[in-house]
Amino acid sequence: MGQKIHGWVPLYFPLAWAIKFPIPLQLLAVAGLIALVIRIRLREAGAADILVWGSALFFFGAAVLSSSHLGFRHVLPALPFFILGGGFALARWNSRVTVGLLLAWLAISSLRVYPHGISYFNESIGGPEQGWKYLADSNIDWGQDLPDLGRYMERRGLASIKTFIFGYDNPFHYLRPGSMDPQTLPSPDNPALAHSYQPQPGTYAVSVNFLTGFLFPAGYEDYLAYFRRRAPDARAGYSILIYEVK
């Protein structure tokens, strides 16, 4: 939500689940919990319920109780159990129309962002275009969109681009040598850079992990506030925003 996390933040993973887990699967999981309550009241619950919901609670609860907030990937083991839990709802109510609608919604929602699955966010916040405003790090940006940046430069015929690029891949697998003009990142060794970066005219590619400022040292979080205040002119995938500065 635009704030750098320190220590234990128990709402981190519930927020990540709410905005990164597809809404059709959320509805299915909630229906499964309702079916569980009904099964308990009717004394129909058994070992299968304990296995499925107990596993979901264990994996998700362990993440919530931890102080490691590197990304939604830490609760991936819990997600199949949420989906299996929804199966109890399907078994009880067995509405083919509802199942068909949920499957269609899930397919459209997933295919809309393909092949950028890492950056997936659901429709509750406006999709992956808005995701960086809520969560950063591996939730959206692992430096995976360099190929898209290379294709963007080819389409536009750009000989060079000024960059604030996050990641450890070799960019020259995808961009021509000499086509990147890396900009200086803030550092405590250079106090003059504590002020907001003032771009010169040109085209800029900015990774959202740098845009949010959470990777910068304390006191430098707003270094790229100029770009954060304005809408991007284009995107390379969903993790690299492109700005034209006149």
Side-chain angles (χ1 to χ4, degrees):
M1 306 292 288
Q3 301 297 318
K4 190 172 183 177
I5 288 177
H6 299 281
W8 180 48
V9 181
L11 292 180
Y12 176 86
F13 285 108
L15 170 66
W17 187 87
I19 65 179
K20 282 192 69 69
F21 199 43
I23 294 176
L25 297 182
Q26 291 181 13
L27 295 174
L28 188 64
V30 170
L33 284 171
I34 294 172
L36 174 65
V37 172
I38 294 173
R39 285 166 63 83
I40 291 174
R41 292 185 64 180
L42 296 177
R43 298 186 178 181
E44 297 176 353
D49 300 86
I50 295 173
L51 173 63
V52 170
W53 289 111
S55 299
L57 178 63
F58 172 78
F59 287 117
F60 197 85
V64 169
L65 293 175
S66 77
S67 297
S68 179
H69 304 98
L70 299 180
F72 189 54
R73 58 194 170 93
H74 284 199
V75 295
L76 287 180
L79 303 187
F81 293 103
F82 283 118
I83 297 169
L84 288 172
F88 292 114
L90 298 180
R92 175 166 292 276
W93 291 295
N94 192 25
S95 172
R96 293 185 178 181
V97 173
T98 301
V99 172
L101 290 173
L102 290 176
L103 283 174
W105 185 356
L106 178 61
I108 293 170
S109 179
S110 300
L111 291 174
R112 188 175 74 87
V113 303
Y114 179 84
H116 303 288
I118 289 177
S119 300
Y120 177 88
F121 285 82
N122 64 39
E123 295 84 354
S124 66
I125 61 164
E129 295 88 350
Q130 306 299 320
W132 67 271
K133 299 177 182 178
Y134 296 83
L135 295 172
D137 208 345
S138 64
N139 293 298
I140 187 169
D141 183 9
W142 259 359
Q144 75 275 10
D145 287 328
L146 281 170
D148 294 88
L149 180 60
R151 287 189 287 269
Y152 174 84
M153 293 183 67
E154 286 184 8
R155 289 196 306 270
R156 295 293 305 276
L158 295 176
S160 66
I161 192 168
K162 300 178 187 295
T163 59
F164 291 97
I165 295 296
F166 168 82
Y168 302 98
D169 198 356
N170 182 350
F172 299 116
H173 287 159
Y174 318 103
L175 282 70
R176 293 190 304 274
S179 62
M180 290 180 62
D181 180 10
Q183 303 299 289
T184 304
L185 296 174
S187 166
D189 298 330
N190 191 345
L193 297 179
H195 302 292
S196 294
Y197 178 80
Q198 298 300 316
Q200 299 299 310
T203 303
Y204 290 78
V206 183
S207 293
V208 295
N209 273 349
F210 285 141
L211 188 67
T212 62
F214 89 99
L215 289 175
F216 295 154
Y220 297 79
E221 292 88 348
D222 292 328
Y223 183 63
L224 296 181
Y226 170 88
F227 296 112
R228 207 159 59 220
R229 287 194 297 263
R230 55 171 287 187
D233 296 290
R235 301 173 186 272
Y238 295 101
S239 70
I240 299 176
L241 307 186
I242 298 171
Y243 301 86
E244 299 287 349
V245 179
K246 304 298 184 183

